[in-house]
Amino acid sequence: MAVLIVAGVMSGGGTGRASADPGSAGTLYVNHDVACSDTGAGTQSAPFCTVQAAADVVEPGQTVRIESPDRHPYSGSVTLTRSGTRDAPITFTGAPLGVGGSQAVLAWPGSAPALTLKAVHDIRVESLTVTYDDGNGVAVTGSEGVTLDRLSFARPLLPATGTGTAIGVDGASSDVTVSRNWVGDGYAYGVRTEPGAARVTVTTNVVSTPRQGGIAVSGTTGADVTSNTVLAPCAPGISLDGQSSGTVENNVVASRAAQQSGTCPAPTGPLYAVSADSADRISSDYNVAANGIGASARPRPEYSWAGTSYATPAALRDVTGQGGHDIDGLNVPTLAAPSEHSPLIDSADAGAVGQLTTDIDDVPRVDDPLVADTGTGTTTRPDRGAFERHDIITVPNGDVPSPVTGVAPFVTSLKTGSSSSWGAPLTYSIDFGDGGAPATGTPGAPITHSYSTPGRYNAKITVTDPDGTSRTGSYNEAVAGTATPPAASLSGAADTTTEGQVNAGYARFTLAEPADAWEVVYRSLTFGDGSQENLADGAREVPHQYPAPGTYTATLTQTDRLGRITTAKATFHAADAFVAITPQFDTEKTIAAHGVLKLSAATVRADSDGVDAAQLQIVTSAAKASGSLTLYTHGTTRPGTSSINFEPGRNARNEATVKVTPTGSVDIYNGSSGAVTVNVATVGLQSHAQFAEAYHPATPVRLLDTRGATGGVTGPVAGGHSVTLTAAGTHGVPTGASAVVLNVGATTTKASGSLTVSTHGNSGSSVTGPYWTTGQTASAQIVLPLVDGKVVLRNTSRSSANLIADLVGWYGPTASGSQFQPVTPVRILNTHTGAGSGKIAKLGAHATLKLKVTGAHGVPASGLSAVDLNLTVPSPSGTGYLVAYADGTSRPGVHSVDFTSGHTVANRALVKVGADGEIDLYNAGSTSVDVYADLLGDYGVHPVG
């Protein structure tokens, strides 16, 4: 509901007076639910904010349209002071909702009337709701030519014991019509006129439970009280006094004992009262005194005429001659149409002054053929009171268009078995809802219609009897479908942040708005992991977290209104993103010969969300015999691979990626015949459920070589000394990289030792590089987090060595990076057995071996950018190194594995993959060697396909 606001309280901007052209016709709009202004022109697009603003400028012939689509009350007391003319009246109107209701509400919490018509003429106020706290509703003062029609007076905003008057007409007003208004409970008086008023017509109103009087006329000449319904359990229903003159006809006044209460006690006053000074000026007939029947009725006179009480219409008629056609002894449904065969039906005086041709609901007065006519009139037979009994038309619920759906153009038909409670012949028209003219017919005869344009249509049937009474029913929609069903569309990508981090196992699928989206009724999306989501129509984004890395096919199934099904599929490669870890040696244990060491999730720091693999650095010492360690997932079968090789008297190191269990556990198996001590540090994690970094494999390039001043350092690095190397901001590595992958090495070594590599700016972040003996060239691949883009290489030997560092790749937040997919460790190359190479033959000196790494062992056939390998050269007979690089590219001058005669060596190698899915292994040594390659995982760029 909408409520009228006093001008200036909520004016919506400015205090200036609005203007309108004098005498201009048209409509002024008031709507405080939209952008409005009280200083504007009051157009529909720029309405006034308050009713008072419109009232201050309205001209004869204009209509003030009061709107409130959000049903917010207009709060304030409004005064109308501008008049119309007989030929050009002014109208204030709301938007009717229905019986006794309206959308615009005039509310005032103070003692002044909510609406005052002050010294105006030719004014019409209609279709508004009025509420109040303790004052009056509408006051007509010093005005003439006023009509108050179809107003609704709601229960007071605060509980009241009966104060105020809903509609009051003062003694200086004349020619006032009060019609078809609905006055709710709580008012002292429904309609009240004061001495001096003239020519006041009160017709077809409903007044419910007034506390002091329903319709009270005092000192008014020419008062006509006609066809009103008053429920008066507390007070007189209709009263006239003070030398009033006029007529009282066709009214229904009822007393309901059940509605009496502490604030509405049992009255002793009459239903109708005419004072002695008015009795000879009043004509009364065709009224109803419904004082109740049976034991529950309260003793109460029905009439008081000239000071004498009369218990029945007969008693009144016998003494006064009034009420010759009055009825009593009834219990009537006072706030509804009379029931069939009621004495109220067709028994009113059609010629009564003020009798309307429509009832309180603004529907016509009609003749009921089932009831004998006892009233007057030839063209209409009105019922007594404000309500009219009409034909009851029944429209069956079971009638539906047949068929309901089809491909346009398609033909459907609709019929109805509608019936009339009066047995009247009915006609009906069907609006099929596609803009065509309604088709007419008779009940039982189907009407066919062709829907030529695809769409959804609601058919409406309107059934009408000869008196014009009608009923409209709506039916299930008919669907004229397109020739082909709307196509389904599905795409998506891994979830990323604005900073470029990726949650590689979290997909965001996009469902595009299909053509003819209105036709889609149901959609479901299965994600390929056993879960699904039912979706509404329309474009939308559907996120989904996958439970583990893998390739999943999501399927969108779309059903249209004709039952036709279309699908779309998208393949999502759920993978891992790299979580950089500050390296710390987490555990140091001795593993017995052929023993197994279990590392818990907490130990390897893999107990956070979605971790699938850990990148570990292993350093061995105190080996009692030569052998190798194998890292694998706890609870799984130990693979035939190795992670690091060791021998007595030498420390060894390597990095390895190992899958973890859902709880993060890792096993280390000692394949040696003697015990060995291991020291384990976590250098990174791979997670499918965290926003982290993508990997960017680089074409290997040398960043540091102290033999030739590459990297800014010339000459061997003395024992115990360090060099600082810039790794980010150069060679394609951005300054924001979070970690770098390097091959680091030492050559021309003067004494045994090792290399430590640390994060510049973080003294606690370091990893161990290669170990070497005097004169040995040694290398190792390391992963190291970055703070300022620099790394520190420290020669821990007692003597000098030349240091080397080659860029392999980097981790960081960019859109073009690769995600990781861990695999169960598997040996994909063994030249000793011919596995992977196709022949049993060592890799010859200065020879190259091509190794296919895609399309097998869980590695996708396409989209691969790099593989995570462990390369082993077992028991070489000479000294040299291997170079691993992408097939189809120039061989870089970097070392992937350095080997010396008689010593088995292994090194982790993140190797970029060629466009053909192959890598090349080049033996730079002078003797043939066997080569093992163990696959630990792969990196790829896999857009949703």
Side-chain angles (χ1 to χ4, degrees):
M1 298 205 304
V3 182
L4 291 170
I5 298 182
V6 65
V9 176
M10 293 179 65
S11 62
T15 58
R17 181 182 177 87
S19 62
D21 294 335
S24 62
T27 301
L28 302 180
Y29 289 89
V30 180
N31 187 349
H32 63 179
D33 291 337
V34 299
C36 59
S37 171
D38 278 348
T39 60
T43 62
Q44 189 169 17
S45 59
F48 294 122
C49 298
T50 65
V51 178
Q52 190 66 61
D56 290 343
V57 298
V58 65
E59 298 291 339
Q62 289 187 318
T63 294
V64 175
R65 177 78 175 190
I66 306 165
E67 299 179 333
S68 184
D70 293 337
R71 299 187 179 183
H72 295 151
Y74 286 88
S75 180
S77 179
V78 176
T79 301
L80 309 183
T81 59
R82 297 173 71 86
S83 298
T85 66
R86 185 182 300 274
D87 297 327
I90 291 174
T91 299
F92 288 80
T93 182
L97 273 178
V99 179
S102 59
Q103 286 185 333
V105 177
L106 221 107
W108 178 235
S111 58
L115 175 64
T116 300
L117 286 78
K118 184 177 181 181
V120 296
H121 57 83
D122 299 293
I123 295 287
R124 181 180 182 88
V125 181
E126 63 184 19
S127 300
L128 295 169
T129 292
V130 178
T131 64
Y132 81 109
D133 274 3
D134 57 5
N136 298 323
V138 177
V140 180
T141 62
S143 300
E144 62 179 325
V146 171
T147 297
L148 305 175
D149 186 48
R150 287 177 291 170
L151 305 180
S152 177
F153 294 82
R155 182 183 294 271
L157 300 179
L158 298 175
T161 57
T163 60
T165 297
I167 298 176
V169 180
D170 79 342
S173 297
S174 61
D175 296 298
V176 177
T177 299
V178 179
S179 59
R180 295 182 297 188
N181 301 293
W182 192 296
V183 180
D185 183 16
Y187 288 89
Y189 295 93
V191 180
R192 189 179 188 186
T193 68
E194 297 179 3
R199 297 178 299 283
V200 178
T201 300
V202 182
T203 178
T204 320
N205 301 284
V206 173
V207 180
S208 175
T209 319
R211 305 308 171 95
Q212 298 184 43
I215 300 172
V217 177
S218 182
T220 301
T221 58
D224 297 304
V225 182
T226 306
S227 292
N228 301 284
T229 295
V230 181
L231 177 61
C234 308
I238 296 175
S239 63
L240 298 94
D241 61 21
Q243 298 185 6
S244 295
S245 63
T247 61
V248 180
E249 288 203 62
N250 299 341
N251 299 287
V252 175
V253 178
S255 176
R256 288 289 183 86
Q259 292 183 285
Q260 294 167 359
S261 64
T263 57
C264 177
T268 57
L271 300 182
Y272 296 88
V274 178
S275 66
D277 58 8
S278 302
D280 60 350
R281 300 167 180 262
I282 300 297
S283 172
S284 176
D285 204 358
Y286 291 94
N287 298 299
V288 177
N291 200 17
I293 56 175
S296 63
R298 301 290 184 93
R300 183 179 187 183
E302 294 181 350
Y303 303 92
S304 174
W305 195 274
T308 302
S309 296
Y310 298 93
T312 65
L316 175 68
R317 182 174 58 250
D318 291 344
V319 175
T320 66
Q322 300 286 344
H325 300 88
D326 283 11
I327 304 171
D328 72 345
L330 301 176
N331 272 330
V332 298
T334 52
L335 301 183
S339 57
E340 194 64 86
H341 304 294
S342 168
L344 276 61
I345 297 174
D346 295 350
S347 63
D349 178 10
V353 179
Q355 178 65 43
L356 302 181
T357 59
T358 59
D359 72 352
I360 183 72
D361 298 332
D362 200 24
V363 293
R365 300 283 190 173
V366 296
D367 182 23
D368 185 344
L370 304 183
V371 175
D373 298 332
T374 58
T376 68
T378 56
T379 57
T380 60
R381 299 289 186 175
D383 300 344
R384 304 192 195 198
F387 299 94
E388 184 75 8
R389 175 74 184 188
H390 290 89
D391 189 7
I392 298 177
I393 298 174
T394 302
V395 179
N397 293 328
D399 290 335
V400 296
S402 179
V404 178
T405 61
V407 174
F410 88 97
V411 177
T412 188
S413 65
L414 181 63
K415 68 176 182 177
T416 179
S418 302
S419 61
S420 160
S421 64
W422 290 352
L426 302 175
T427 59
Y428 74 102
S429 67
I430 299 177
D431 180 352
F432 283 93
D434 59 354
T440 59
T442 56
I447 294 179
T448 60
H449 181 77
S450 177
Y451 287 110
S452 59
T453 303
R456 300 166 58 188
Y457 305 101
N458 283 101
K460 292 184 178 180
I461 183 168
T462 301
V463 182
T464 307
D465 72 4
D467 288 322
T469 300
S470 64
R471 182 177 177 186
T472 299
S474 297
Y475 294 94
N476 293 340
E477 68 177 13
V479 178
T482 55
T484 58
S489 174
L490 182 64
S491 61
D495 194 19
T496 59
T497 67
T498 55
E499 292 78 17
Q501 288 189 317
V502 61
N503 186 339
Y506 191 83
R508 289 192 176 274
F509 292 104
T510 299
L511 286 66
E513 180 79 19
D516 300 307
W518 62 269
E519 204 165 356
V520 176
V521 69
Y522 174 79
R523 295 197 292 180
S524 67
L525 182 60
T526 58
F527 297 100
D529 59 358
S531 61
Q532 80 171 55
E533 187 170 336
N534 296 328
L535 309 168
D537 56 5
R540 61 182 56 245
E541 183 180 80
V542 182
H544 183 70
Q545 176 68 64
Y546 281 96
T551 300
Y552 302 89
T553 298
T555 302
L556 171 65
T557 301
Q558 183 172 280
T559 305
D560 74 1
R561 296 181 183 275
L562 274 64
R564 299 175 296 187
I565 295 175
T566 53
T567 61
K569 295 180 182 294
T571 300
F572 182 78
H573 190 82
D576 289 321
F578 178 76
V579 181
I581 297 290
T582 298
Q584 297 175 1
F585 284 100
D586 302 306
T587 186
E588 185 175 35
K589 298 287 184 180
T590 297
I591 309 174
H594 304 294
V596 176
L597 172 64
K598 178 183 177 183
L599 303 179
S600 69
T603 299
V604 298
R605 303 159 78 180
D607 50 355
S608 57
D609 290 344
V611 172
D612 298 302
Q615 292 189 18
L616 305 178
Q617 182 182 89
I618 306 99
V619 176
T620 65
S621 61
K624 302 302 182 184
S626 297
S628 64
L629 298 180
T630 299
L631 275 67
Y632 59 101
T633 308
H634 175 72
T636 64
T637 302
R638 185 175 73 246
T641 59
S642 61
S643 302
I644 183 172
N645 292 81
F646 54 86
E647 57 188 66
R650 290 188 176 190
N651 287 0
R653 60 82 59 204
N654 198 7
E655 289 190 3
T657 302
V658 57
K659 290 178 68 176
V660 299
T661 66
T663 56
S665 301
V666 173
D667 286 349
I668 304 179
Y669 170 71
N670 177 8
S672 168
S673 60
V676 64
T677 299
V678 298
N679 201 320
V680 180
T682 301
V683 297
L685 299 172
Q686 300 284 0
S687 171
H688 70 270
Q690 298 183 48
F691 283 105
E693 315 297 347
Y695 180 59
H696 303 263
T699 298
V701 61
R702 185 143 291 173
L703 302 181
L704 173 71
D705 191 338
T706 60
R707 294 171 300 181
T710 301
V713 179
T714 302
V717 177
H721 286 69
S722 302
V723 297
T724 299
L725 169 68
T726 298
T730 182
H731 295 93
V733 182
T735 55
S738 60
V740 67
V741 182
L742 302 174
N743 274 338
V744 294
T747 190
T748 60
T749 55
K750 302 302 183 181
S752 62
S754 65
L755 187 65
T756 299
V757 187
S758 303
T759 302
H760 186 264
N762 185 354
S763 59
S765 177
S766 64
V767 295
T768 300
Y771 288 87
W772 62 80
T773 59
T774 302
Q776 181 187 5
T777 296
S779 63
Q781 188 173 104
I782 60 117
V783 174
L784 190 72
L786 298 176
V787 172
D788 58 5
K790 299 177 181 180
V791 298
V792 178
L793 287 77
R794 179 177 177 80
N795 176 9
T796 65
S797 173
R798 294 187 304 272
S799 298
S800 66
N802 280 298
L803 303 184
I804 299 169
D806 299 323
L807 174 69
V808 175
W810 54 275
Y811 293 97
T814 69
S816 60
S818 301
Q819 290 87 48
F820 182 68
Q821 170 76 54
V823 300
T824 300
V826 59
R827 184 151 289 175
I828 61 173
L829 174 66
N830 186 337
T831 58
H832 184 69
T833 64
S837 63
K839 60 181 179 179
I840 300 174
K842 292 184 178 183
L843 177 58
H846 308 295
T848 301
L849 182 153
K850 294 181 182 294
L851 178 62
K852 184 77 170 179
V853 294
T854 58
H857 308 297
V859 179
S862 61
L864 216 63
S865 61
V867 285
D868 191 345
L869 301 177
N870 192 59
L871 298 177
T872 302
V873 178
S875 302
S877 58
T879 299
Y881 63 92
L882 296 181
V883 180
Y885 60 101
D887 185 53
T889 65
S890 298
R891 183 174 71 247
V894 301
H895 295 206
S896 299
V897 182
D898 284 283
F899 54 85
T900 57
S901 179
H903 298 285
T904 298
V905 64
N907 198 22
R908 184 195 185 194
L910 287 179
V911 185
K912 193 172 184 180
V913 177
D916 56 2
E918 295 183 345
I919 65 171
D920 291 350
L921 297 173
Y922 172 71
N923 178 8
S926 58
T927 59
S928 299
V929 294
D930 277 316
V931 180
Y932 303 154
D934 297 332
L935 176 67
L936 306 178
D938 62 79
Y939 286 90
V941 178
H942 301 281
V944 176

